[in-house]
Amino acid sequence: MAVHTSIQLISYSQELVDGQPLYVSSNCLPVKASKYEPAGHAFHNAALKLLGCEEEDTEEVDDQKVGNDKENVYMPSSDSYSSKGKKKSGADGKQQDHYALLGLSHLRYLATEDQIRKSYREAALRHHPDKLANLLLAEETEAAKQAKKDEIENHFKSIQEAYEILIDPVKRRIYDSTDEFDDEIPTECAPQDFFKVFGPAFMRNGRWSVTQPIPTLGDDSSPLKDVDNFYDFWYSFKSWREFPHADEYDLEQAESRDHKRWMERQNAKLSEKARKEEYARIRTLVDNAYKRDPRILRRKEEVKAEKQRKKEAKVRAKQLQEEEAARAAEEERRLKEEEEKRAAEAALQHKKTKEKEKKLLRKERTRLRTLSAPALSQHLLDLSEDDVESLCMALGIEQLRSLCDKMDNKEAIEQAKIIRDARGYNSEVNEKKMDGANKSQPNGSVESNGSSILSSSFEKKEKPWTKEEIELLRKGTQKYPKGTSRRWEVISEFIGTGRSVEEILKATKTVLLQKPDATKAFDSFLEKRKPTVSIASPLSTREEVQGVSTPSKTENKAVKTSTPEDSGKTASNPVDVASSNGVTSSSEQDVWSAVQERALVQALKTFPKETPQRWERVATAVPGKTVNQCKKKFALLKESFRSKKSTA
């Protein structure tokens, strides 16, 4: 606010010099005495009003307010909208019946759009103010005429408002939601009255369903599939019912887009609680009906009875199984006891038989000894007690009985001859048995208990497996894996050496599972290595190497082509024969080339003392030299090294 120099202000400003007070007076008119006197800013405002300076100040204040409003246009607060756009209730808070104004009270929410238009046209023609002008003439006073005119116009406006609301789907849905409706939910009913009580309740609440038409509750004879569809529909019920609130905002009175959105958010908050209560009410209705529906109760009883029946059948089957198992165990135990009893009886009978045989054997032996006593006492045919005892031990019961029967009632000399013949026959039988045993032992036809030898059967010796066969068997098992049709016959044909299936099966469990011997690994390597001739030194020639490594090729040819006439010469001159067979003399064998010496030294370094079969490996590494030659050369090298060391 600008400072006016012509007006003295009672305030702390630059006009107060050195803190000295100023005495001023006002030329305002006397005011009505009140309880409070204006002071401070109130006194200045009163003075400005009297002087006519209020307009400029208010304009400046308005300019400042407009500037602040422009700055805060995009940041509206809820406080600025809190008292704007509220819906106002009708007269005395009562809502007019739009369906009654249009003459559709008997249809209400069931009225169609065409019926609403037709009823509106009829009501508009019937209640138009121009059509009812004669009613004004019946009034006597002007006030009464004006009141009647206002009543007619208000009634016509109400008809227009009712048509505008009912013809708009959104407004009509809001109005229908606030229309009179029975929200009562049945809770208890007799089983026979279920369909009479809950049927109308579902039909009444079905008006709010988004999906039309709604399924009916049906009757006691409805199929269970229709019953399940009915309850599935109501458990997933979607309602179009709106819940306007008394403090709801009217979106048409919004000042801006932001104001309208704020109104929508506030209205949504107010209606959300009512919508939740509505869904809870519908869910309670469906739950109460589902609990008391006789068709659902019958199905539950049937399911429960079926479960109980299955449970009892399961228990009964388990009991039968246990009884069967107990019966089988009892039968097995009984059979086992009978078997043991029979075995015990058989063992006892066998024991008795053996004892009886022993008694008979002792009896026959005693009889033989008694019958042979005269011959033994007379020493006929050089018989002795040992001969009789040997017969007693060697012969069986039947043989002893037949022998005793022959000797019975005979002379001593005849008895002696019979004993001698029996002894000779027994010795021949024993010799045959021994010969058969000796023949059967090399072939391995011996019984498992070792008590008797079967000379009639001979087991064939198993043919050993060669390395080539083992390698073919290993390749065949890899080539024809498990699951191959007639696998072992195919592998037998793959090997091609006439091996049977039993031999192949046995070899897969023994030969293929054997681990290779580490000590023979190098030997197998030497066997597989191809004999190649290489020139170790660039100074040596192929002829020298061949002369050292293979000196016997031409000489062997000479031996092969020699005639029979030369055989006598070779026999007379063994030295020449040896030389002709490719064996060099000792002087030639002791000749070592530089290549061979280097190979020997390298082999001695490669194979130390701890190496198994050291000298065989060293000799293999040195071309054209044997183990003894390598040992001799090593001794010579060792001796020369020591002599050099001693001279040094």
Side-chain angles (χ1 to χ4, degrees):
M1 185 176 64
V3 178
H4 298 275
T5 57
S6 61
I7 301 173
Q8 298 293 331
L9 299 176
I10 304 175
S11 62
Y12 295 99
S13 65
Q14 297 178 357
E15 296 175 359
L16 299 178
V17 181
D18 296 332
Q20 297 295 327
L22 297 176
Y23 298 94
V24 295
S25 60
S26 175
N27 56 355
C28 63
L29 295 174
V31 295
K32 185 178 179 180
S34 61
K35 186 177 180 181
Y36 302 103
E37 293 182 358
H41 294 288
F43 178 80
H44 297 311
N45 291 334
L48 291 174
K49 285 181 181 179
L50 292 175
L51 293 176
C53 299
E54 182 183 7
E55 294 181 0
E56 295 179 359
D57 297 341
T58 54
E59 287 178 0
E60 291 177 0
V61 171
D62 292 336
D63 292 338
Q64 291 179 0
K65 287 183 179 180
V66 169
N68 293 335
D69 291 339
K70 287 182 179 180
E71 292 176 359
N72 299 329
V73 130
Y74 296 101
M75 293 186 295
S77 62
S78 59
D79 296 338
S80 61
Y81 298 151
S82 58
S83 60
K84 296 179 181 179
K86 286 288 182 91
K87 287 184 178 179
K88 296 180 180 179
S89 59
D92 299 332
K94 294 182 180 179
Q95 184 178 0
Q96 64 181 4
D97 190 351
H98 300 320
Y99 290 110
L101 289 173
L102 298 180
L104 298 173
S105 300
H106 60 289
L107 296 176
R108 304 197 72 81
Y109 72 95
L110 297 176
T112 62
E113 187 175 347
D114 294 337
Q115 290 174 341
I116 292 172
R117 285 196 178 95
K118 184 178 179 180
S119 299
Y120 169 69
R121 292 191 192 99
E122 293 176 357
L125 290 174
R126 190 182 308 112
H127 299 285
H128 196 275
D130 295 340
K131 296 287 184 179
L132 301 177
N134 54 354
L135 297 177
L136 300 177
L137 301 176
E139 301 295 336
E140 297 178 355
T141 60
E142 292 294 331
K145 290 181 180 180
Q146 187 64 31
K148 191 66 176 178
K149 183 180 180 181
D150 293 341
E151 181 182 353
I152 294 171
E153 290 178 355
N154 289 336
H155 186 70
F156 185 73
K157 288 179 180 179
S158 299
I159 293 173
Q160 288 181 332
E161 183 182 358
Y163 174 72
E164 291 175 358
I165 290 175
L166 296 180
I167 205 66
D168 188 353
V170 178
K171 293 181 179 179
R172 184 184 180 186
R173 185 174 63 184
I174 295 173
Y175 175 75
D176 289 341
S177 299
T178 59
D179 200 4
E180 293 182 1
F181 180 73
D182 184 10
D183 289 335
E184 185 181 358
I185 295 174
T187 56
E188 296 293 339
C189 69
Q192 62 273 13
D193 298 336
F194 172 78
F195 298 99
K196 295 180 181 179
V197 173
F198 282 91
F202 280 108
M203 294 300 297
R204 185 169 61 250
N205 287 274
R207 62 178 291 188
W208 311 120
S209 176
V210 175
T211 305
Q212 295 290 342
I214 62 172
T216 58
L217 183 60
D219 53 10
D220 194 35
S221 60
S222 299
L224 289 176
K225 184 177 180 181
D226 296 343
V227 176
D228 292 335
N229 292 334
F230 173 80
Y231 284 106
D232 290 340
F233 172 83
W234 280 99
Y235 273 117
S236 59
F237 183 78
K238 292 183 180 180
S239 174
W240 55 262
R241 189 177 185 181
E242 298 290 342
F243 301 95
H245 199 270
D247 295 333
E248 202 174 53
Y249 294 92
D250 189 1
L251 300 181
E252 295 180 357
Q253 298 182 12
E255 298 177 356
S256 62
R257 267 188 320 185
D258 295 334
H259 191 190
K260 184 177 181 180
R261 291 172 183 171
W262 180 84
M263 286 181 176
E264 291 175 351
R265 289 194 297 270
Q266 297 300 320
N267 293 343
K269 290 179 182 179
L270 294 174
S271 61
E272 184 65 25
K273 183 179 179 181
R275 187 174 290 106
K276 289 181 179 179
E277 293 177 354
E278 174 67 9
Y279 278 108
R281 187 184 67 82
I282 297 294
R283 185 61 179 263
T284 304
L285 171 64
V286 181
D287 289 340
N288 291 343
Y290 192 83
K291 290 177 183 178
R292 294 166 178 81
D293 195 332
R295 300 165 297 182
I296 301 297
L297 295 177
R298 273 199 308 271
R299 184 172 65 178
K300 287 183 177 180
E301 292 294 332
E302 292 175 359
V303 171
K304 187 177 179 181
E306 183 66 19
K307 286 183 178 180
Q308 186 66 23
R309 187 185 62 78
K310 289 182 178 180
K311 186 176 180 181
E312 292 176 355
K314 189 175 180 180
V315 172
R316 195 180 304 109
K318 188 176 180 181
Q319 290 177 354
L320 292 175
Q321 186 178 2
E322 291 177 353
E323 292 175 358
E324 187 66 24
R327 192 181 301 109
E330 182 66 23
E331 184 68 19
E332 184 179 359
R333 185 183 63 79
R334 187 181 61 79
L335 293 175
K336 188 175 180 181
E337 289 179 354
E338 291 179 356
E339 186 68 25
E340 291 177 354
K341 187 177 180 180
R342 285 195 298 267
E345 291 177 355
L348 182 60
Q349 188 67 24
H350 181 66
K351 185 177 179 181
K352 290 179 179 179
T353 305
K354 288 187 74 176
E355 289 179 355
K356 186 177 180 181
E357 289 177 355
K358 287 180 181 180
K359 289 180 180 180
L360 294 174
L361 185 60
R362 286 197 297 269
K363 182 179 179 181
E364 295 298 331
R365 286 175 181 175
T366 305
R367 183 183 176 191
L368 178 60
R369 293 188 187 101
T370 305
L371 293 173
S372 62
L376 293 176
S377 62
Q378 297 177 11
H379 300 285
L380 298 174
L381 302 177
D382 296 331
L383 293 176
S384 62
E385 293 181 0
D386 295 335
D387 297 335
V388 177
E389 290 297 329
S390 63
L391 285 175
C392 291
M393 294 298 153
L395 298 179
I397 298 174
E398 296 297 331
Q399 294 173 347
L400 288 173
R401 185 180 289 113
S402 62
L403 182 60
C404 293
D405 291 341
K406 289 179 181 180
M407 292 173 63
D408 196 10
N409 299 324
K410 298 290 184 182
E411 296 294 335
I413 186 66
E414 292 180 0
Q415 291 179 352
K417 288 179 180 180
I418 293 171
I419 293 171
R420 184 186 63 182
D421 295 339
R423 184 172 175 274
Y425 175 77
N426 188 29
S427 61
E428 290 177 1
V429 172
N430 291 334
E431 287 177 1
K432 289 181 180 180
K433 287 183 179 180
M434 292 298 293
D435 293 338
N438 292 331
K439 289 180 181 179
S440 62
Q441 276 183 357
N443 294 326
S445 60
V446 182
E447 291 183 358
S448 59
N449 56 5
S451 62
S452 62
I453 302 171
L454 300 176
S455 60
S456 61
S457 61
F458 300 94
E459 292 185 358
K460 295 181 179 180
K461 289 186 177 179
E462 187 177 349
K463 183 181 177 182
W465 286 75
T466 61
K467 293 182 179 179
E468 291 78 8
E469 288 179 333
I470 294 173
E471 190 66 26
L472 288 172
L473 177 59
R474 184 176 287 105
K475 290 181 180 179
T477 53
Q478 293 176 358
K479 186 176 181 181
Y480 304 104
K482 295 179 180 180
T484 306
S485 178
R486 301 176 68 253
R487 182 190 183 197
W488 300 111
E489 290 80 356
V490 174
I491 293 174
S492 177
E493 294 175 0
F494 176 76
I495 295 173
T497 57
R499 292 284 183 178
S500 63
V501 176
E502 291 76 10
E503 290 177 341
I504 293 173
L505 289 172
K506 186 176 180 181
T508 53
K509 298 178 181 178
T510 56
V511 178
L512 292 182
L513 298 179
Q514 289 179 356
K515 294 184 179 178
D517 192 0
T519 59
K520 297 181 180 179
F522 186 74
D523 296 338
S524 61
F525 165 71
L526 295 178
E527 292 177 1
K528 294 179 182 178
R529 190 178 66 168
K530 295 181 179 180
T532 57
V533 179
S534 62
I535 301 173
S537 175
L539 300 177
S540 61
T541 62
R542 188 175 299 277
E543 289 77 7
E544 293 178 359
V545 176
Q546 290 178 353
V548 173
S549 60
T550 59
S552 61
K553 287 184 179 180
T554 58
E555 295 172 357
N556 289 333
K557 290 180 181 180
V559 173
K560 290 179 181 178
T561 58
S562 62
T563 60
E565 296 176 356
D566 298 334
S567 61
K569 296 180 182 180
T570 55
S572 63
N573 193 358
V575 179
D576 296 337
V577 172
S579 62
S580 65
N581 289 331
V583 180
T584 58
S585 62
S586 62
S587 61
E588 292 178 355
Q589 290 178 354
D590 293 335
V591 176
W592 285 73
S593 63
V595 176
Q596 291 173 336
E597 289 183 357
R598 284 197 296 271
L600 177 62
V601 174
Q602 184 64 31
L604 291 172
K605 292 179 181 178
T606 305
F607 306 109
K609 292 181 180 181
E610 297 81 9
T611 306
Q613 299 179 354
R614 182 192 184 195
W615 289 108
E616 288 79 358
R617 300 185 180 190
V618 171
T620 306
V622 178
K625 295 298 179 181
T626 62
V627 175
N628 294 329
Q629 291 174 350
C630 291
K631 287 183 179 180
K632 290 179 181 179
K633 186 62 177 176
F634 174 72
L636 291 174
L637 290 174
K638 189 176 181 181
E639 191 66 28
S640 63
F641 177 77
R642 287 179 180 176
S643 62
K644 287 180 182 179
K645 188 175 181 181
S646 60
T647 56

